Amino acid sequence: MEVLLQNEDTIAAVATGMGGAGIGIIRISGDQAVELGNNLFVNPKGKTLKTAKSHELIYGKIIDPETHKDIDEVLISKMKAPHSYTAEDVVEINCHGGIVPMRKILKLVIQAGARLAEPGEFTKRAFLNGRMDLTQAEAVIDIINAKTEKSLEYSVAQLEGRLSQKLEELDGTLIEILSHMEVNIDYPEYDIEEISYNFVNTQILGLLKKINEILAVAETGKIYREGITTAILGEPNVGKSSLLNTLLMEDKAIVTDIPGTTRDTIEEYINIEGIPFKIIDTAGIRETENLVEKIGVEKSKALLNQTNLVIFMRDISKALSEGEKELIELLKNRRTIYIANKTDAVSEQDLEIPAPWIPMSLLEDEGIELLKQKMLEMVFEGTVNQDADYLITNTRHISLLEVTKTSLENAIKTMDSQMPIELVSIDVMEALEALRGITGKAVGMDIIDQIFKNFCIGK
Amino acid sequence: MTYSGGDYDIIVIGAGHAGSEAALASARIGLKTLLLTINLDSVAMMPCNPSIGGTGKGHLVREIDALGGEMGKNIDATMIQCKMLNTAKGPAVHSLRAQADKKAYQFRMKEVIENQVNLLLKQQEATEIIVENGKITGVVVNTGALYTCKAAIICSGTYLKGRIIIGDVQYDGGPNGLFPAMYLSDSLEKNGIELQRFKTGTPARVDAKTLDYSKMIIQEGDEHIVPFSFETDQIDIDQVPCYLTYTNPETHNIINANIERSPLYTGEVVGIGPRYCPSIETKVMRFHDKERHQIFMEPEGLNTNEIYVQGMSSCLPEDVQIALYRTVPGMEQVEFMRSAYAIEYDCIHPTRLKASLESKEVAGLFFAGQINGTSGYEEAGAQGLIAGINASLYLRGEQPVIIDRSEGYIGVLIDDIITKGIDEPYRMMTSRAEYRLLLRQDNADLRLTEIGHRVGLISDERFQKFLDKKEQIKEEIERLNHVTVKPTKENNEILKSFGSSEIQHGLSIGELIKRPEVKYLQTDVFDPVRPQLHWSVMEQVEVQIKYEGYIKKQLQQVEQFKKLEHKLIPQGINYPEIGGLRIEAAEKLQEIKPLSIGQASRISGVSPADISVLLIALEQRRRSSVKDVTTNE
């Protein structure tokens, strides 16, 4: 049995680069696109995607259909076949370009039944459906090959080390369960121990535990994908805004600067050597306010609890104020980088800056590199890194591992409802196929090979 | 010197299980058919075990029957014991297996063939095929006759350059003491058909009067026999038992002590043997910690003492064979009537066949059965039937019948061998089928009768009966979904007596049957106006209701699968010319020449990215050809 190559189902992906544009677009293409989009979308005036006109842009919210929670406010549109990029029914969800909302929405779309698109798949469909000129065929092939190559490289890099070992273990156990089930089915008259549901159940629970571990690590590792939440704190006029602007200007991959109407924070992304930092700021803090004074100690603590990293900034030409001292007290035992700004305003002989303070002069462009280095150090020293060698970061891999998990849970349900073994085997096979989607190994003869290796059968 | 022996539409070479089905199919479709056999006494012979069916194989027999083949009817008429295997598991893997009276099986098939209109059976050895301009035009036989034909089907089994191995005794020979066919291989190779060597083996036949069954465990057939054929209503016979015994450490010691005398271990046997039919020496050597191996005594027929010793195939020398058989309880005094032997034979590379089973090298030349590298009577019969149908359709200039992987085990079998190729004899197993829940033995008629009718192998009368059955199933399911069981105290008492839980509100009988512990037959207590239905209709109703959710899920998978199967690839594509295709993929595609994108994606070594590139190249090709046409006009 093998993984079907699907060219006809509904696919979805982030159409803009993750963290690459001000607005993020989730694109869904295929027969089910409108249905899927429709089920996740609510419009205040009761408009639905189904009844909307083609190419009409509607405002509304994406909600989680299970919890009914709002996920993000969006502009959504459908493009009816063949008047779309792929010439299939296409739905585009324009959301806030932050990685968090994009990932959440994409996840919902996939849970609803779409499949994560393969590299170059939208373009491929566009071509196959006649949306592109013949001369572009070569280019499309190049895109597919290049993207495949790249994603393969990525997968290989990711699959080295303990993660690959973990997945191998899962694979091995699945093959063992399946070959035992299949030998019972295909060789009923041989004196081979009947596999019991009890045994299969125990094995599958063990697998689920391992999968949950990997997914949990992926969750703590989401910091890599979603950004290190970073707050820049300090007294008014110490240079916080300038620092932020400098960091943003140096980083071409600025994500977004939309003061969300539903949020009271502003999120900005910067990217340092591939690690995204999500700079958060409570409304007004960029203005000249004292945090503790403004929102009180408890609220400040609550805010700090949401951050992974704090950059505390002072003006070195001035003495520490009471407010600053209070804040420094608050920051004890937190991951904090201390910046002594405006070194340019102090004469050389007066300048004595003890560690951990980093001297900085934004005017003279000093200290920025050191800060970035420090920010990276903080990340890699942090707890997030300790499991990194089986950290799974590829969204496609995570979604496949989740399918593996669901299939195994289904297998347990099938057994619980006393269904016969060949139905349980369907679920376990699905789990194996999803897992093999990560490792790229085809499901071929290995179950039958395993049967003949482990069991003495045959007339 | 050759002489002209006459003209036929179709010549079938070999009258084993493949050849018999092939010849009957083409003659029944209405084509003038000649069936050649090396020996008239070996028609439909079973040179190995005396049984038909088994897991996966039983499914094949039912499919053959649904398509209008003979195997099911033949075993129904000649069985001496029958069992439904896997009844403790679900309906998808229930499999029929019957012990056959070997001679009766042969005689009945021979009689059917002899009495078939349009069909002539002859004892002659085909030695040469005549190919002109890439097409088959005739067959020459050992007596000098040249028969002209428009199509030929080669079903040569294990006869081609057959070589028998019994320890250090080795000689050219066919199965079961028959002559081998020593010439046809060369003629095939001359015409561009490459061959490989496979091997298989069979245990000794022993004399029943030298066995002590009291030391063995009796194995009875089922009380109620389910027939193979959808046309057989019931089978009422006195069944003959089989017996089970076991090897022991002494048996294993003899093997260990003599293993250097086994040609399997001295490297003298070059053919590749099947892993699922290991010789007893292979079992003992590979699984040396296994203390005992099962041995079954299967009678070869009602009018013979010969007993097939299942589990004891071997190519050790005869003296070692006798010694080791005699270590087994109940076999201490055993006498051999035929020794165990291994046989090596020529077969083709099935990847050189189209899905119709026609050769890619020679037009009108079809292959079926063990020559294609498969093993088993049922696998052979299935291919023979398809080759017979497709050779006939080829003659009529019609599209071949191709059963896909979602329609039947026959489809799985043929697609596997022509797409994936094989490196050992291929045996059907239910685990080879992706859509096992849909490909049940109980619904083979629902899946395939229409095809059988379309090609002319199923009579209008049988077809009408089939349509009636289909309708009855539909109506009864519909009806059950509308009969409500109320949550009364009485009803809940009844449910409890079924081992089921109480209901709180009204439920349809259909809903109740979905519960694993509730059977259709039991629910008649809630159902005063239940119609009288045939057991096979009731069976369908129950299965279809009970597993509805799972069946739906597989049907959805099938829908995806079909879309890819229906994306056809035009023939005549030169794959190495497609830019962007990896070399390995291009080579594989060039060899297999898949019919559809679905088939292409099953070729090992062809990746999803290759398929994407292929799709684009095809679209490119299609559009350029459209453009060409427009400019020409």
Side-chain angles (χ1 to χ4, degrees), chain B residues 238-253:
Chain B
D238 290 330
Q239 298 185 62
V240 174
C242 296
Y243 292 88
L244 168 65
T245 178
Y246 292 93
T247 62
N248 53 43
E250 206 189 324
T251 327
H252 304 175
N253 288 341

Side-chain angles (χ1 to χ4, degrees), chain B residues 459-474:
Chain B
S459 67
D460 289 342
E461 189 197 342
R462 178 171 172 187
F463 190 58
Q464 190 52 52
K465 260 176 87 179
F466 160 77
L467 290 177
D468 293 346
K469 175 181 171 186
K470 228 171 121 174
E471 191 54 33
Q472 283 173 0
I473 296 166
K474 208 179 124 200

